[in-house]
Amino acid sequence: MTLKALLASACLAALTASALTTTARAADVELTLSHWVPATHALQPGGMEIWAKSISDASGGRIKITIYPASQLGAAPDHYDMARDGIVDIGFINPGYQPGRFPIIAAGEIPFLISNAKGGSRALDEWYTQYAAKEMKDVQFCMAIVHDPGTLHGTKGPIQVPADLKGKNIRPAHATMARLVNSLGAASVQVPAGDMRELISKGAADMTASPWNSIYTFGLQDVTKHHLDLPFYVTTFAFVMNKAKIDGLSPADRKVINDHCTPDWAEKMASKWADAEAAGRQKMIDAGGHTLYKPTADEVGLWKKATASLQGEWETSATKAGVDAKAAWAGLGETLRKYNADVK
């Protein structure tokens, strides 16, 4: 009996050691998430960190995501290719930083389309998921989001009607905005958000497109004193992943990741950022020294007229990308209405 007990004990110890080794291996899933805004930007503590913790919790601690902010691993326009090539496992991208490369998701860039970031992010993600495998086939698409509606901020006033842009150098938020400002007689000077401060302070641009609180986040509150007080546009963003890394995960871990790449998570990711951006407008008013130009109804009509051709341009680009553009546009509008995120 003693011998049998010893043998049984040895077998149990071997099985336990094997199980512990397996658990250790399973726990060793480390993913890098790279982005290009400051670590203090509301998107990191209010979105990315919450998302990463939820993934860790849902996986029983098997998956750990390390976040690298502020372009530590590469420049903002390179993040799609960085995820594609495995330089990072997860990249946060602004598709509009690479004009013409992602024409389908660019629908979300058209002004006066998306009224808010929360329902807008849920809607854009739900709509775009059906096209992501076609347009972003080099990566594993996770989710798409938008920021709270932004506007134009300048060093010289006023900014009230489209004619006020003529002759100015303007930093656009994305390719669609660049085409718009060029069509209005302005020159676009496109740089990532992190470079806005240097661009404006050196006088290389007179104006920038930005949501409200990002003026503070990127340190432009002392150089931009004139503001178009109008919810004008949003910017589309996406989280994309290295295919080989995700495919190499266990089925259980892939399920955890997939469960965190949903329209519900897109809304969660955008929500705290949206609140922070919206609060920036009142913060600016309270600070004083800023002039907010609120267009009349007729002047809003001038802005909408100035942007009217952008939908047709998008349809042409989307058609060339192999999409039924009219059906896609109608589908986007329907999805935005479903989540009360359309502009009335």
Side-chain angles (χ1 to χ4, degrees):
M1 291 295 295
T2 302
L3 180 59
K4 287 182 179 179
L6 287 171
L7 289 171
S9 178
C11 288
L12 180 60
L15 289 170
T16 301
S18 176
L20 287 172
T21 301
T22 301
T23 301
R25 283 199 302 268
D28 193 21
V29 177
E30 297 190 3
L31 303 176
T32 57
L33 192 171
S34 178
H35 67 86
W36 32 268
V37 297
T40 54
H41 190 287
L43 184 59
Q44 177 163 328
M48 296 179 191
E49 291 177 10
I50 293 169
W51 183 71
K53 184 180 185 304
S54 181
I55 287 173
S56 177
D57 291 346
S59 68
R62 294 189 308 272
I63 303 174
K64 176 186 177 183
I65 296 176
T66 302
I67 302 173
Y68 293 88
S71 299
Q72 291 179 33
L73 302 183
D78 296 336
H79 272 60
Y80 179 90
D81 293 333
M82 289 161 58
R84 179 197 64 190
D85 298 339
I87 297 170
V88 300
D89 300 315
I90 308 167
F92 174 64
I93 69 168
N94 176 343
Y97 282 169
Q98 295 186 311
R101 188 173 185 182
F102 305 106
I104 302 172
I105 199 172
E109 298 173 352
I110 296 174
F112 304 112
L113 175 67
I114 298 177
S115 64
N116 67 82
K118 297 178 183 180
S121 292
R122 179 182 283 269
L124 180 71
D125 182 72
E126 182 176 305
W127 171 82
Y128 186 65
T129 297
Q130 64 189 306
Y131 303 109
K134 181 181 184 68
E135 182 161 81
M136 299 187 181
K137 59 182 180 296
D138 306 310
V139 296
Q140 177 75 38
F141 172 78
C142 178
M143 73 177 91
I145 65 171
V146 299
H147 62 52
D148 189 67
T151 189
L152 294 169
H153 312 267
T155 60
K156 305 168 185 175
I159 313 173
Q160 189 147 353
V161 295
D164 294 330
L165 275 58
K166 188 174 182 179
K168 302 291 197 307
N169 293 325
I170 301 175
R171 178 259 169 192
H174 43 62
T176 301
M177 184 68 71
R179 293 199 308 275
L180 172 63
V181 300
N182 290 340
S183 73
L184 295 175
S188 63
V189 187
Q190 189 159 4
V191 299
D195 296 332
M196 287 191 295
R197 165 76 191 189
E198 182 178 7
L199 186 76
I200 296 284
S201 62
K202 287 184 174 180
D206 309 299
M207 208 178 290
T208 188
S210 173
W212 288 97
N213 200 62
S214 285
I215 293 299
Y216 287 93
T217 301
F218 295 103
L220 281 83
Q221 67 274 13
D222 59 336
V223 291
T224 55
K225 297 293 188 178
H226 302 271
H227 314 272
L228 175 64
D229 192 8
L230 177 69
F232 190 24
Y233 77 97
V234 303
T235 300
T236 63
F237 303 93
F239 289 84
V240 297
M241 303 177 170
N242 178 260
K243 271 190 170 183
K245 187 72 173 186
I246 302 305
D247 289 345
L249 298 178
S250 69
D253 289 341
R254 281 201 304 274
K255 183 179 186 304
V256 170
I257 295 296
N258 290 337
D259 287 347
H260 285 77
C261 294
T262 63
D264 182 55
W265 266 106
E267 181 172 348
K268 290 177 183 177
M269 183 69 78
S271 289
K272 291 185 183 299
W273 182 19
D275 291 340
E277 292 291 6
R281 178 180 176 276
Q282 189 60 46
K283 181 179 180 180
M284 200 171 285
I285 293 171
D286 294 343
H290 294 266
T291 304
L292 280 64
Y293 299 90
K294 191 167 188 64
T296 66
D298 287 344
E299 289 167 340
V300 172
L302 292 176
W303 285 106
K304 289 185 175 180
K305 182 178 179 181
T307 61
S309 64
L310 295 174
Q311 178 186 339
E313 293 175 8
W314 175 82
E315 289 186 3
T316 299
S317 297
T319 299
K320 289 179 180 177
V323 170
D324 182 340
K326 290 192 180 300
W329 182 261
L332 177 56
E334 180 181 343
T335 312
L336 288 168
R337 286 190 293 276
K338 180 166 70 171
Y339 295 115
N340 197 31
D342 59 318
V343 174
K344 308 298 184 185

